[in-house]
Amino acid sequence: MIPSAPRYLVDIDVSTTPQVFTDTLIIGSGVAGLRAALAAARHGSVLIVTKDTIRESNTEYAQGGVAAVLSKADSVDVHVGDTLSAGVGLCEEDVVRMVVTEGPERLREVLDWGGNFDRKDGEVLLTREGGHSRHRIAHAGGDATGHELQNVFIRKVKEADIRVWDYSFLVDLLTRDGECLGALVQAQAGERRIVWAGATLLASGGACQIYRESTNPAVSTGDGIAAALRAGAVCRDLEFVQFHPTVLYIAGAARKLISEAVRGEGGVLRNLAGERFMDRYDERAELAPRDIVSRAITSEMAARGESHVLLDMRGLGADRIASRFPGIADTCRSFGVDPATDAVPVRPSAHYFVGGVKVDRNGETTIRRLYGCGEVTASGVHGANRLGSNSLLEGLVFGARAGEHAGQRASGPPADAVRSFRGKGPRPAREHLDLLDMRNSLTSLVGRAAGILRAHEPLQSARQTLDRWAQYALVRRFDAPAGWELQNMMTISRLLIEAAWLREESRGAHARRDFPERDDARWRGHLNLKIRGEPTYTPLGSTEEVQIDRGPENA
Ligand SMILES: Cc1cc2nc3c(=O)[nH]c(=O)nc-3n(C[C@H](O)[C@H](O)[C@H](O)COP(=O)(O)OP(=O)(O)OC[C@H]3O[C@@H](n4cnc5c(N)ncnc54)[C@H](O)[C@@H]3O)c2cc1C
């Protein structure tokens, strides 16, 4: 698919690089990585490598909460049904059922470990969000759920005496004969180390930074997905990127999202004329699933030539806003908007990376001894669109499962690899490459071609542009994370655009202007992508990889 992509980003030589050994190596310190570390540590030594502070992650910024069946008015079947409905026919039902069934136990564990979730009369408070037909979202600190999860897990990881290397960057996974032996890691000061690991587990999060407008922090550049692709792993569902419908749109303000829970609690959307419009697009109005709300906002803005819409939460009253959404209220006020008296300007932004490294129910990828959990993976739980608050749940459940399996399977690296392993990276280039300019061009291109509404022509043109860029940007050697992040983002963007170009239908988070209907006959299945080799198609529920039925335009 990307003939110019090198196997390794840099040269790797055991004779000149310090070596470290661990039973389980975990890349990333969000909910999935930290939960996995606790599970793997029951079986042997664990090393967590994370590219910023231990806290910095998507998890840290998660607001709304964790979806779990905790109330008597709810049931596993209803939660499964809501998830399947949001996933628009592409969820793997057995995986959904497993996550929904194990979720309450994983969340209770967090509460037992001191998780300070919001309660009333001792009972965990549950709210409702778009796409959920019951109150089942547990939250902490009003709208600081991810922060509280990180508090709990960072404390537990310290108590368990698990080694953590912060400011340390996964450059590449080391493989031989289809087996992962560990990774090359570069610390902030520039020194590199080879980490030999009995099992390596990717928990490095998603890649929404490939979009110019994104709610994700700077760490979300998809490094783990790209490293797995270079190592030969199969990725799937890359065409599905969820846009959060209501992201603060104020010049100079970070693209901070306004939680779905605001609409769950009664917030309404208005166009700039002050009219509510959601009921014209879907009978569930503001409580429709995210993709429907995002597309409705995009259509409303386009129809009226407006750059944003308004989220009106004035009906909740000042006290309720202050107690339920203190973080959101503070952010808005710091930019001169008081949600108690003003409607808040919002527009959709890239938010959740549905696709990723293909894993089975135990988090095993298609490469032996390489595992994955959380947003870096495509486990089959989200289908064509993630149901809000199901991703922290997935991180908890798959973190525990993948950590357990990786820890159990961990065994030492082959002695001859430790003596003689070598990997070949590209040569340094003489011409300077303006990384910032290249990154801005890339994120704009991806937004234009593979944003909320897609079509053949822009996708086709983006494929050609990316192939041209790859010929000079992927084949050069960089020596620091900024260059590697760009190469990782280019790799993922190319495959995402290929998948979006191939899938000639509209489903969930993938909407094609030229193919507005869902087409189950051709497309009820997953697109599998690799760096080397042609994309393939796997019908839902099957493990078989078959040739893609290319339409006349793509033949
Ligand atoms: C603003 C916001 C609000 C959200 N709200 C909710 C919500 O209410 N409910 C919900 O369920 N979901 C929510 N989500 C989604 C959810 O937060 C994420 O899907 C989930 O936290 C992902 O967890 P993770 O552990 O897989 O990845 P992350 O939490 O993103 O962690 C990834 C880790 O990998 C590290 N890493 C990345 N690359 C490298 C590298 N090259 N080398 C070393 N380390 C690396 C990162 O530094 C980080 O530590 C929200 C997301 C955002 C951005």
Side-chain angles (χ1 to χ4, degrees), residues 26-35 48-67 129 137-139 143 145-146 149-150 165 167-172 184-186 202-206 208 214-225 227 242 244 255-261 290 350-353 373-377 382 386-396 481 484-485 488:
I26 294 183
I27 310 295
S29 58
V31 61
L34 295 179
R35 183 63 190 82
I48 300 174
V49 166
T50 190
K51 78 174 171 185
D52 201 281
T53 63
I54 187 171
R55 200 173 262 287
E56 186 64 358
S57 56
N58 272 6
T59 302
E60 173 64 18
Y61 301 98
Q63 298 178 349
V66 186
E129 286 180 356
I137 320 297
H139 44 87
D143 53 9
T145 309
L149 283 177
Q150 290 294 79
W165 291 355
Y167 299 108
S168 296
F169 191 97
L170 162 75
V171 186
D172 260 313
L184 180 75
V185 172
Q186 175 156 312
L202 291 170
S204 44
C208 281
S214 164
T215 62
N216 288 194
V219 291
S220 302
T221 48
D223 305 329
I225 301 175
Q242 184 175 76
H244 196 286
R255 293 290 176 255
K256 194 161 167 90
L257 75 81
I258 313 283
S259 164
E260 202 122 52
R290 287 182 178 178
H351 181 54
Y352 184 83
F353 215 68
C373 53
E375 198 169 333
V376 67
T377 64
H382 303 303
R386 174 190 68 127
L387 181 62
S389 289
N390 264 1
S391 43
L392 291 175
L393 177 75
E394 182 195 25
L396 289 172
W484 300 326
E485 284 181 349
N488 290 337

Side-chain angles (χ1 to χ4, degrees), residues 192-210:
R192 291 187 191 155
R193 290 180 200 149
I194 288 175
V195 182
W196 298 111
T200 303
L201 190 150
L202 291 170
S204 44
C208 281
Q209 280 289 334
I210 63 171

Side-chain angles (χ1 to χ4, degrees), residues 80-150:
V80 168
D82 289 345
T83 304
L84 298 183
S85 158
V88 202
L90 272 204
C91 297
E92 296 294 335
E93 187 170 345
D94 61 323
V95 180
V96 174
R97 191 163 288 281
M98 177 189 92
V99 169
V100 167
T101 306
E102 294 178 11
E105 201 183 325
R106 293 285 82 81
L107 188 59
R108 278 195 208 98
E109 207 169 57
V110 172
L111 302 173
D112 291 345
W113 292 337
N116 188 11
F117 275 61
D118 298 331
R119 291 171 186 265
K120 193 171 175 201
D121 304 327
E123 292 295 312
V124 173
L125 279 172
L126 299 172
T127 189
R128 208 179 138 192
E129 286 180 356
H132 289 276
S133 58
R134 298 282 190 280
H135 282 70
R136 67 166 72 99
I137 320 297
H139 44 87
D143 53 9
T145 309
H147 179 74
E148 181 57 13
L149 283 177
Q150 290 294 79

